Amino acid sequence: MAAVDMDQLLAQIVAEIEPQIGTGSVADYIPALAAVDPAQFGIAVALPNGECYGAGDWTKPFSLQSISKLFTLALALSGDDESIWWRVGREPSGNAFNSLVQLEYENGVPRNPFINAGALVVTDHLAGVFGDATKAVLDFLRTESGNAEIDCDEEVAASEEAHGDRNLAMAHFLASYGNIHGDVRSIADQYVRQCAIAINCRDLALAGLFLARHGLRRDDTRMLSPSNTKRINAVLLTCGMYDAAGEFAYRVGLPGKSGVGGGILAVVPGRCTIAVWGPGLDRRGNSVAGVAALDRFTELTGWSVF
Amino acid sequence: MAAVDMDQLLAQIVAEIEPQIGTGSVADYIPALAAVDPAQFGIAVALPNGECYGAGDWTKPFSLQSISKLFTLALALSGDDESIWWRVGREPSGNAFNSLVQLEYENGVPRNPFINAGALVVTDHLAGVFGDATKAVLDFLRTESGNAEIDCDEEVAASEEAHGDRNLAMAHFLASYGNIHGDVRSIADQYVRQCAIAINCRDLALAGLFLARHGLRRDDTRMLSPSNTKRINAVLLTCGMYDAAGEFAYRVGLPGKSGVGGGILAVVPGRCTIAVWGPGLDRRGNSVAGVAALDRFTELTGWSVF
Amino acid sequence: MAAVDMDQLLAQIVAEIEPQIGTGSVADYIPALAAVDPAQFGIAVALPNGECYGAGDWTKPFSLQSISKLFTLALALSGDDESIWWRVGREPSGNAFNSLVQLEYENGVPRNPFINAGALVVTDHLAGVFGDATKAVLDFLRTESGNAEIDCDEEVAASEEAHGDRNLAMAHFLASYGNIHGDVRSIADQYVRQCAIAINCRDLALAGLFLARHGLRRDDTRMLSPSNTKRINAVLLTCGMYDAAGEFAYRVGLPGKSGVGGGILAVVPGRCTIAVWGPGLDRRGNSVAGVAALDRFTELTGWSVF
Amino acid sequence: MAAVDMDQLLAQIVAEIEPQIGTGSVADYIPALAAVDPAQFGIAVALPNGECYGAGDWTKPFSLQSISKLFTLALALSGDDESIWWRVGREPSGNAFNSLVQLEYENGVPRNPFINAGALVVTDHLAGVFGDATKAVLDFLRTESGNAEIDCDEEVAASEEAHGDRNLAMAHFLASYGNIHGDVRSIADQYVRQCAIAINCRDLALAGLFLARHGLRRDDTRMLSPSNTKRINAVLLTCGMYDAAGEFAYRVGLPGKSGVGGGILAVVPGRCTIAVWGPGLDRRGNSVAGVAALDRFTELTGWSVF
């Protein structure tokens, strides 16, 4: 696809997936998310040169949720420090994203950094390196997007903490295996707060550009080696979509990370990042309209890793 | 990598991984495989134009084993008949390749076509379409490689059948859920026989070329649409390496399928297929020298899907 | 309870549980059982001296099903040969009665002799000792009850065999661990046929009397030592009622074994055996009316092991 | 056994099991318990009339640990309030005593009150009724034994709390299903403290007498109906010995509850209670010498429930 008219392409995609906007179910276990109007949709594409295109509700903030796990992993690996892999695996989990079962069978080493248990371990690692993991994520998102206003949505954070027993169970369980080093409640709190960050499609696509730029940040300083950047993309492809990683690879064929806020960040290495947002989720927790839009995007551009 | 001198590249790779040749353990649950000399290694690369390069023991036959699952899946999807997906999923399994546990939790629908349960279902589908699944696979391998001598190793087949209780258990279990339609013993027999096919790296690389040629066979007839070809590559990447799919994607970054005979077939879409063989296996059942060689290959060529 | 008028007691029990007769669901996975009229109920009590009392449909034959597992275990232990315990455990299973999952975790040693996997192993042991396990069970039932007409219901046996993939899966799975020594199909067949034995409450209560007589058979020859008889009663109490052993111990407080044909055989050591039959099952596979009748029996007599 | 000379019997038992005293492993996950000298053994028998006999180290205190679960259950059921059964099951668990796995499959309802998860729920119930569950247990033990000195061992309590992540994980996990109503940390704390109670064989045998006296306390006031007393004995028999309940029922044939402090309390309904203590544990967490002594006791007296 020699020259893509991005504005036209995104408008076409929004039009084509219109019937799916508003379908699916809004995440209901976090009260503040349950109140979001499902009939919204946004898409943004960022190019390696920093240009950004968008359509629909692409400048409206939504809850980052598990997409934060991609940024915490990247920060943990920054400077090509690979020590995090001693504490977390990189195999698909084959189970629901918050299962304690697998953790027990594997003696406290989470299968990958994108299940909740794995993200708690990565957060603990970041807390050790940066002091405050949430602040480290916020700093990164603000710098890369150029939007200093990005912040936690305190209402969402409070809403999650009020229902945080499952996270605390997981964190104490990890600690019982020696795989949380910091204070359990503080780590669980930082984990919840980074999930509660509000961001829009434009800023999310820009913040993820280092994955399409072989590890270079916006200011051309190197965050990760090309080799480690490829590797994060590999982990995204095999583990990034909860228990639907295989399905997403099959249909869309791109590395991506989803969140129950309805967002997905996908990467075409060397070409672009795509951020989509639609609050209605399928039964595996991925945005119905978001997956459909990415499916159309790869179909229309022919851009796929395979 | 504008122009690769393949002969030189493959010689360099064989030299570099020499210390790993002979390490690992030969599969010991199939007596005929346990007798194979581990100190062997071969590699072959086939280009879309049909050229084929090789080094080491690349013309020495080895046991195809689970790599056959890739060909049975492709044959099941040929003509873009997607009905097989009603009977088998495409999610990574997160468990050992021959586990009955997951099958029970998922009511008789195997997680993907590359675990043994899934391959039995695909074999049953092929038996319904072609009459004899093993013959269908043999015909395909012979035609694509141009080697009419490819055949089952009867000693290996007999060796596996003598220890076939686990396969029969799985097949009867699938039948109890209505997910085997043919005669259970015959299906299990066809499954064992296709695993027992002996092939060398050269022929294997050539036989897999349709995956690098967007679905076109050697004679330029279409086997699969470009879209379904991509999709098989996606399933290979997420599920092709037993319980080490994530690790292989992370280190090598290519779609691939391994077998306990020590072979691996990997695909660089649009560029080439690579077949490697080394009998020594790691604890997940993948060739130690084979994975190392593919790791070097992607490092030296820069060819990766990410 | 100094002197019990058994006839009056049993009549009272039948009257009291009348509302529950016909409730529950008839086993539907065996077609020949699915056709049984649920509105039937029988109860029989056998005393150590051989006297037998009954009420309701107590002379009407029903399908023995899993109650046969009690007799195969007793026969395996006869002469106080305890070698069977090398091949099967005696812990409650905590899972459905036909689960392959637990078997996999425990490397082919079934948790206890009353889950299907355990019963297959016991059947295999009997086949080794007696040649034909079904015949051994039939001989025992006929001798102890004095009814030479007891036999397999060929329609039920054929009905089960037609749906026998699960049993064959289990038997091959056990064989893959070396825990079936005979021919897999023959052992599975003997297992199915002993389950298909038709018997009535009277004959069942008499056949079980050795458990209330400290191991003595009808003719006062010793089958088991008092110690091994106690032990079978202990295994019955902890494992005899599928996944409801705890509930049955709690409510009824007697060793017992149930079958999906709707029968239950319970034991009051030193005092009597009680056989009940009602085809309607609860969700764990135990007779609704049968459990209710045994609950009333222990309440009215005060006979309980606790 | 018309008249037992208890003193002589207990002396004989201590002599016979002497070779097993000091064998097994002391619980090592609680530092304060790991320091206990394994070469100790005590046994006490209490009769319904309040007489108490003992031998060996029967007046030396040890850590109550999981035996406390028996008293919390009895207190929860006192006055025949059966509401606790809405929140906890009574089936054997078939898994290690502190497994989160089963809890997840059963949606937050523990299988029985004697696994850790179940005991946390019972403790939460007691905290709601009595304010402080530990105090309620202490009051009961002191009154029934007549020993007002019984108390928590603060060193053991501190030792457990320092390693309490697993308990907190479990408690938060239960809370995430709504099955802990009080403050999670306070409930976990009360749970740990009741396990840390120090008691000797004499006092333990006396405190458990209500189970042999059909529900009557020392002062002849009724704690439980005869029927509910039987039922606790039934739960003890099916679930009281961790994952060795079946084995203990088979060998010993009595309701009993063990703790990793090396104590076991067993009941012969209508006849006596027996408390044994030996710190060396088998791989399932039960006292090696204690089980052996109870085995001899039932063999020599002929007292068994079967």
Side-chain angles (χ1 to χ4, degrees):
Chain A
M1 203 177 176
V4 179
D5 180 334
M6 271 295 166
D7 282 324
Q8 187 193 314
L9 176 73
L10 301 185
Q12 178 184 348
I13 289 170
V14 172
E16 285 186 13
I17 66 148
E18 207 281 329
Q20 306 203 46
I21 297 174
T23 64
S25 309
V26 172
D28 57 1
Y29 67 96
I30 304 171
L33 293 186
V36 171
D37 173 11
Q40 305 183 79
F41 180 76
I43 184 169
V45 171
L47 304 187
N49 63 6
E51 282 175 37
C52 196
Y53 301 83
D57 301 310
W58 70 302
T59 60
K60 197 153 175 182
F62 59 89
S63 193
L64 188 60
Q65 294 300 317
S66 288
I67 307 174
S68 63
K69 295 175 168 78
L70 152 59
F71 294 103
T72 51
L73 176 63
L75 286 166
L77 291 168
S78 65
D80 297 311
D81 168 8
E82 303 191 42
S83 63
I84 189 67
W85 298 123
W86 291 100
R87 299 174 60 187
V88 65
R90 44 202 180 218
E91 290 303 327
S93 78
N95 275 95
F97 65 101
N98 55 0
S99 173
L100 282 162
V101 171
Q102 202 154 43
L103 199 53
E104 187 160 6
Y105 287 133
E106 312 220 353
N107 294 311
V109 176
R111 291 276 292 181
N112 68 60
F114 297 151
I115 55 175
N116 291 4
L120 279 162
V121 169
V122 176
T123 299
D124 182 59
H125 176 95
L126 285 192
V129 174
F130 294 97
D132 182 332
T134 312
K135 186 172 175 306
V137 174
L138 277 173
D139 284 349
F140 183 82
L141 295 175
R142 288 168 182 165
T143 304
E144 295 305 294
S145 68
N147 177 358
E149 308 293 308
I150 294 171
D151 214 337
C152 288
D153 180 324
E154 295 299 335
E155 191 194 348
V156 171
S159 184
E160 293 203 54
E161 269 158 26
H163 296 77
D165 278 307
R166 186 117 189 173
N167 288 332
L168 282 168
M170 195 104 64
H172 279 294
F173 195 51
L174 289 161
S176 77
Y177 286 105
N179 207 0
I180 291 288
H181 305 159
D183 175 75
V184 167
R185 293 197 159 234
S186 168
I187 298 304
D189 186 61
Q190 292 173 54
Y191 168 72
V192 162
R193 288 180 61 76
Q194 76 208 17
C195 288
I197 290 172
I199 198 167
N200 62 34
C201 289
R202 177 195 165 278
D203 294 345
L204 181 57
L206 288 169
L209 263 185
F210 70 100
L211 290 172
R213 298 184 75 223
H214 311 299
L216 293 183
R217 293 180 63 155
R218 190 192 198 194
D219 63 1
D220 287 331
T221 58
R222 179 158 298 285
M223 180 174 191
L224 297 164
S225 67
S227 176
N228 267 321
T229 310
K230 278 184 196 178
R231 288 170 167 181
I232 292 183
N233 285 329
V235 183
L236 286 170
L237 194 99
T238 52
C239 314
M241 302 295 287
Y242 303 128
D243 197 28
E247 185 65 22
F248 188 77
Y250 184 84
R251 279 185 62 188
V252 174
L254 294 180
K257 184 75 205 79
S258 58
V260 294
I264 305 173
L265 176 62
V267 182
V268 189
R271 293 195 187 264
C272 69
T273 56
I274 313 131
V276 291
W277 170 55
L281 308 178
D282 60 29
R283 68 189 172 85
R284 265 108 163 230
N286 298 316
S287 169
V288 173
V291 171
L294 290 167
D295 193 3
R296 291 307 298 145
F297 182 89
T298 53
E299 192 74 21
L300 292 169
T301 59
W303 293 354
S304 153
V305 302
F306 298 112
Chain B
M1 204 178 174
V4 180
D5 180 331
M6 272 295 167
D7 282 323
Q8 186 192 315
L9 176 73
L10 300 185
Q12 178 183 347
I13 288 171
V14 172
E16 286 186 14
I17 65 149
E18 206 281 330
Q20 305 203 47
I21 296 174
T23 64
S25 311
V26 171
D28 57 1
Y29 67 96
I30 304 171
L33 293 185
V36 172
D37 173 11
Q40 305 183 78
F41 180 76
I43 183 168
V45 171
L47 305 187
N49 64 7
E51 282 174 38
C52 195
Y53 301 84
D57 302 312
W58 69 301
T59 58
K60 197 154 172 181
F62 58 89
S63 193
L64 188 60
Q65 295 298 317
S66 288
I67 308 174
S68 64
K69 296 176 168 76
L70 152 58
F71 294 103
T72 50
L73 176 63
L75 286 166
L77 291 168
S78 66
D80 298 310
D81 167 7
E82 302 191 42
S83 63
I84 189 66
W85 298 123
W86 291 101
R87 298 174 60 186
V88 64
R90 46 204 179 216
E91 291 303 328
S93 78
N95 273 94
F97 65 100
N98 55 359
S99 173
L100 283 162
V101 171
Q102 201 155 44
L103 199 55
E104 186 161 7
Y105 288 133
E106 311 219 355
N107 294 313
V109 177
R111 291 276 292 180
N112 67 61
F114 297 151
I115 55 175
N116 291 3
L120 280 162
V121 169
V122 176
T123 298
D124 182 60
H125 176 95
L126 285 192
V129 174
F130 293 95
D132 182 330
T134 312
K135 185 172 177 303
V137 174
L138 277 173
D139 285 348
F140 183 82
L141 295 175
R142 289 168 180 165
T143 305
E144 296 303 295
S145 69
N147 178 357
E149 308 292 308
I150 295 171
D151 213 337
C152 288
D153 180 324
E154 295 300 334
E155 191 194 349
V156 172
S159 186
E160 293 203 56
E161 267 158 28
H163 296 76
D165 278 308
R166 186 117 190 173
N167 288 332
L168 282 168
M170 195 105 63
H172 279 294
F173 195 50
L174 288 161
S176 77
Y177 287 105
N179 206 1
I180 291 288
H181 304 159
D183 174 74
V184 166
R185 294 198 158 231
S186 168
I187 297 303
D189 185 62
Q190 292 174 53
Y191 168 73
V192 162
R193 289 179 61 77
Q194 77 209 17
C195 289
I197 291 171
I199 197 167
N200 63 33
C201 289
R202 178 196 164 279
D203 294 344
L204 181 57
L206 288 169
L209 263 185
F210 70 100
L211 290 172
R213 298 181 77 221
H214 311 299
L216 292 183
R217 293 179 66 155
R218 193 190 195 198
D219 63 1
D220 288 330
T221 57
R222 180 159 297 286
M223 180 173 191
L224 295 164
S225 67
S227 176
N228 267 322
T229 310
K230 278 185 196 179
R231 287 169 167 182
I232 291 183
N233 285 330
V235 182
L236 286 170
L237 194 100
T238 53
C239 314
M241 301 294 287
Y242 302 128
D243 197 28
E247 186 64 22
F248 188 78
Y250 183 84
R251 279 184 63 190
V252 174
L254 294 180
K257 183 75 206 79
S258 58
V260 294
I264 306 174
L265 176 62
V267 183
V268 189
R271 290 193 188 268
C272 69
T273 55
I274 313 133
V276 291
W277 170 57
L281 307 179
D282 62 27
R283 66 187 174 84
R284 266 109 162 228
N286 297 315
S287 169
V288 173
V291 171
L294 290 167
D295 194 2
R296 291 308 298 147
F297 183 88
T298 53
E299 193 73 22
L300 292 169
T301 58
W303 294 353
S304 154
V305 303
F306 298 111
Chain C
M1 204 180 177
V4 179
D5 180 334
M6 272 294 166
D7 282 325
Q8 186 192 315
L9 177 73
L10 299 185
Q12 177 183 347
I13 288 170
V14 172
E16 287 186 13
I17 65 148
E18 207 280 331
Q20 306 204 45
I21 297 173
T23 65
S25 310
V26 172
D28 56 2
Y29 67 95
I30 304 169
L33 294 185
V36 172
D37 173 11
Q40 306 182 79
F41 180 77
I43 183 168
V45 172
L47 304 186
N49 63 7
E51 283 174 37
C52 196
Y53 302 83
D57 302 312
W58 70 302
T59 59
K60 195 153 176 182
F62 57 90
S63 192
L64 187 61
Q65 294 299 319
S66 288
I67 307 174
S68 64
K69 296 176 168 78
L70 152 58
F71 294 102
T72 51
L73 176 63
L75 287 167
L77 291 167
S78 66
D80 297 310
D81 168 8
E82 303 191 41
S83 63
I84 189 67
W85 298 123
W86 291 100
R87 299 176 58 187
V88 65
R90 45 205 180 216
E91 290 305 326
S93 78
N95 274 94
F97 65 100
N98 54 2
S99 174
L100 282 163
V101 171
Q102 202 154 43
L103 198 55
E104 186 161 7
Y105 288 134
E106 312 219 353
N107 295 311
V109 176
R111 292 275 292 180
N112 67 61
F114 297 152
I115 54 174
N116 291 4
L120 280 162
V121 169
V122 176
T123 299
D124 181 59
H125 176 95
L126 285 192
V129 174
F130 294 96
D132 181 332
T134 312
K135 185 172 176 306
V137 174
L138 277 173
D139 284 349
F140 183 82
L141 295 174
R142 289 168 181 165
T143 305
E144 295 304 295
S145 68
N147 176 358
E149 308 292 309
I150 294 172
D151 214 337
C152 288
D153 180 325
E154 296 298 337
E155 191 194 347
V156 171
S159 185
E160 293 204 54
E161 269 158 27
H163 296 75
D165 278 307
R166 187 116 187 174
N167 288 334
L168 281 169
M170 195 105 63
H172 279 294
F173 196 50
L174 289 161
S176 76
Y177 287 104
N179 207 0
I180 291 289
H181 304 159
D183 174 75
V184 167
R185 294 200 158 229
S186 167
I187 298 303
D189 185 60
Q190 292 174 54
Y191 168 73
V192 162
R193 287 180 62 77
Q194 76 209 17
C195 289
I197 291 171
I199 198 167
N200 63 33
C201 289
R202 177 195 165 279
D203 295 344
L204 181 58
L206 288 169
L209 262 186
F210 69 100
L211 291 172
R213 299 183 75 221
H214 311 299
L216 292 183
R217 293 179 63 154
R218 193 191 197 196
D219 62 1
D220 288 330
T221 58
R222 179 158 298 285
M223 178 173 191
L224 297 164
S225 67
S227 177
N228 267 323
T229 311
K230 279 184 196 179
R231 288 169 169 183
I232 292 184
N233 285 329
V235 183
L236 287 170
L237 195 100
T238 52
C239 314
M241 301 294 286
Y242 303 127
D243 196 28
E247 185 65 22
F248 188 78
Y250 184 85
R251 281 185 62 189
V252 175
L254 294 179
K257 184 74 205 79
S258 58
V260 294
I264 305 174
L265 176 62
V267 182
V268 189
R271 292 193 186 266
C272 70
T273 55
I274 312 132
V276 292
W277 170 56
L281 308 179
D282 61 27
R283 67 188 172 84
R284 267 109 161 229
N286 298 314
S287 168
V288 173
V291 171
L294 290 167
D295 193 3
R296 292 307 298 145
F297 183 88
T298 54
E299 194 74 22
L300 292 169
T301 58
W303 292 355
S304 154
V305 301
F306 298 111
Chain D
M1 202 177 176
V4 178
D5 181 332
M6 272 295 167
D7 282 324
Q8 187 194 314
L9 177 72
L10 300 185
Q12 177 183 349
I13 288 170
V14 171
E16 287 186 12
I17 65 148
E18 208 280 329
Q20 307 205 44
I21 297 174
T23 64
S25 310
V26 172
D28 56 3
Y29 67 96
I30 304 171
L33 293 185
V36 172
D37 173 11
Q40 305 183 80
F41 179 75
I43 183 168
V45 171
L47 304 186
N49 64 5
E51 281 175 38
C52 195
Y53 302 84
D57 302 311
W58 70 301
T59 60
K60 196 154 176 180
F62 58 88
S63 194
L64 187 60
Q65 294 300 317
S66 288
I67 308 173
S68 63
K69 296 176 169 77
L70 151 58
F71 295 102
T72 50
L73 175 63
L75 287 166
L77 291 167
S78 67
D80 297 312
D81 168 9
E82 303 191 43
S83 63
I84 189 65
W85 298 124
W86 291 100
R87 298 175 58 187
V88 66
R90 46 205 179 215
E91 291 304 328
S93 77
N95 276 95
F97 65 101
N98 55 2
S99 173
L100 282 161
V101 171
Q102 201 154 45
L103 199 55
E104 186 161 6
Y105 288 133
E106 312 220 354
N107 294 312
V109 176
R111 291 275 292 180
N112 67 61
F114 297 151
I115 55 173
N116 291 3
L120 280 162
V121 168
V122 176
T123 299
D124 182 60
H125 177 94
L126 285 192
V129 174
F130 293 96
D132 182 332
T134 312
K135 187 174 175 305
V137 173
L138 277 172
D139 284 350
F140 183 83
L141 295 175
R142 289 169 181 165
T143 305
E144 295 303 296
S145 68
N147 178 357
E149 308 292 308
I150 293 171
D151 213 338
C152 289
D153 180 326
E154 295 298 335
E155 192 194 347
V156 172
S159 186
E160 293 204 56
E161 269 158 26
H163 297 77
D165 278 307
R166 186 116 187 173
N167 288 331
L168 282 169
M170 196 104 64
H172 278 295
F173 195 50
L174 289 161
S176 77
Y177 286 105
N179 207 2
I180 291 290
H181 305 159
D183 174 75
V184 166
R185 294 198 158 232
S186 168
I187 297 304
D189 185 60
Q190 292 174 54
Y191 168 73
V192 162
R193 288 179 62 76
Q194 76 209 15
C195 289
I197 290 171
I199 197 166
N200 62 34
C201 289
R202 179 198 163 276
D203 295 344
L204 181 57
L206 289 169
L209 263 184
F210 69 100
L211 290 172
R213 300 182 75 222
H214 310 300
L216 292 184
R217 293 180 64 155
R218 192 190 194 197
D219 63 0
D220 288 332
T221 58
R222 180 159 296 286
M223 180 172 188
L224 296 163
S225 66
S227 175
N228 267 323
T229 311
K230 277 184 196 177
R231 288 169 169 184
I232 292 183
N233 285 330
V235 182
L236 286 170
L237 194 102
T238 51
C239 314
M241 301 295 285
Y242 303 128
D243 196 27
E247 186 64 22
F248 188 79
Y250 183 84
R251 281 185 61 189
V252 176
L254 293 180
K257 183 76 206 80
S258 59
V260 293
I264 305 174
L265 176 61
V267 183
V268 189
R271 291 195 188 265
C272 69
T273 55
I274 313 130
V276 292
W277 169 57
L281 308 179
D282 60 28
R283 68 188 172 83
R284 266 108 163 229
N286 298 314
S287 170
V288 174
V291 171
L294 290 167
D295 193 2
R296 292 306 299 146
F297 183 88
T298 53
E299 193 73 20
L300 291 169
T301 58
W303 293 354
S304 153
V305 303
F306 297 112

